[in-house]
Amino acid sequence: VGSIWSLASSEGMENDLYQRDGSHPSIKGSFLAACTLYRVLAIRQTKCNFGPRFPVGSVLSPVEADVIERAVVRTLGAKNGF
């Protein structure tokens, strides 16, 4: 998750991944971690769609979700042959 977090941060999401305390993940940071774990544990190449429990568009825009998703795919692809 750390290398994907770094990639998303370098793509302009650095301030969005943490809560104001600078220590705990925000909703976007939690989505990044959940998406990473989902793709690694499920070994799936599908989009991270968690349905009504985490609806993209309410607290996370489709563009932000796409940036996170691309960071996950790029990092995992380099490491795991995705």
Side-chain angles (χ1 to χ4, degrees):
V1 174
S3 44
I4 296 168
W5 195 285
S6 295
L7 181 59
S9 293
S10 72
E11 293 185 357
M13 296 197 72
E14 182 175 9
N15 296 328
D16 296 335
L17 297 176
Y18 290 100
Q19 290 185 20
R20 285 185 217 153
D21 66 6
S23 178
H24 295 90
S26 65
I27 294 292
K28 294 169 190 172
S30 295
F31 180 79
L32 181 145
C35 187
T36 301
L37 294 174
Y38 172 77
R39 291 181 74 103
V40 168
L41 296 175
I43 311 173
R44 301 222 174 160
Q45 296 181 14
T46 59
K47 287 190 96 44
C48 295
N49 182 359
F50 300 109
R53 292 180 187 252
F54 204 115
V56 170
S58 61
V59 293
L60 185 69
S61 77
V63 172
E64 293 167 324
D66 189 53
V67 168
I68 290 170
E69 189 93 38
R70 282 181 300 164
V72 170
V73 169
R74 285 185 13 216
T75 305
L76 291 179
K79 293 181 177 185
N80 298 323
F82 274 84

